Amino acid sequence: MSAHVAATREALAPTPLQVAPRLLDARLETVVGGERVVVRITEVEAYHGAGTGDVPDPGSHARMGRTARNATMWGEPGHLYVYLSHGIHSCVNVVCGPDGVAGGVLLRGGEVVEGADAALRRRAERGVVRTPRDVARGPGRLGDASGLRHPVHDGIDAVTGAEHAGAVARLFLPAEPVGPYASGPRVGVAGVAGTAAFPWRFWIPGDPTVSPFRWGRGAGPV
């Protein structure tokens, strides 16, 4: 296993598009209900909020500004934005950018490297697990495996590891950036935000825990 260092606010302060590749091969460690799980991150997607970066991001939850739902995205970097997708799946994002500037990196896929029994049980309670690679393959599955749930764990601090609603989360970055990595359109994002105009998905090529690609509604090659 490669060397890792605890994530800092400074390391996560650049824009999500800059931070996203640095999260490949990172470790997200959670302790929920006394059970420790560590996920090695193999796939991520960057999302910019209103006013972040040079190009407006029409696919971001924060594209129109601050709301009750996306408030965590506007806070200091290193907290986790945990949101509900399709009314079912709790998805985990690492907040990036300076405090007051919205942005996040969605953790799309990963490999459970510690706590496999707990992660597998959590996934089995919420859906079928066909193979070990599928336990955290996809953002909803990764959220399940980690034990982090919306809304109670939204805003948990993965830099300090402070307890939040009975859970603890810590993020560890690879000491050296992983390489080479691949990039391309984001998965299942509707409209232009899901096209090659936004190649803001990053993954480790050939890793079996990377989720399959699909175009979003109204998206496609440009």
Side-chain angles (χ1 to χ4, degrees), residues 103-136:
V105 176
L106 173 65
L107 305 183
R108 269 210 63 90
E111 173 194 9
V112 176
V113 293
E114 295 186 47
D117 289 345
L120 182 60
R121 190 195 70 251
R122 291 168 181 165
R123 277 294 307 132
E125 288 171 351
R126 298 181 57 80
V128 175
V129 181
R130 293 181 174 85
T131 67
R133 75 171 185 172
D134 290 327
V135 175

Side-chain angles (χ1 to χ4, degrees), residues 21-142:
R22 286 286 286 121
L23 293 178
L24 295 174
D25 197 44
R27 266 60 170 174
L28 176 65
E29 175 187 310
T30 59
V31 180
V32 182
E35 296 181 305
R36 179 174 177 269
V37 170
V38 180
V39 180
R40 179 180 71 93
I41 306 304
T42 60
E43 179 188 13
V44 298
E45 288 177 346
Y47 289 88
H48 285 190
T52 304
D54 299 327
V55 180
D57 181 4
S60 171
H61 288 175
R63 64 188 178 277
M64 303 298 290
R66 187 192 299 262
T67 67
R69 181 195 190 195
N70 67 37
T72 298
M73 293 182 72
W74 298 83
E76 61 183 354
H79 291 262
L80 302 182
Y81 169 48
V82 183
Y83 74 90
L84 198 63
S85 175
H86 302 295
I88 302 171
H89 306 295
S90 291
C91 300
V92 179
N93 300 252
V94 177
V95 175
C96 302
D99 190 0
V101 177
V105 176
L106 173 65
L107 305 183
R108 269 210 63 90
E111 173 194 9
V112 176
V113 293
E114 295 186 47
D117 289 345
L120 182 60
R121 190 195 70 251
R122 291 168 181 165
R123 277 294 307 132
E125 288 171 351
R126 298 181 57 80
V128 175
V129 181
R130 293 181 174 85
T131 67
R133 75 171 185 172
D134 290 327
V135 175
R137 186 178 184 230
R141 294 172 178 173
L142 190 151

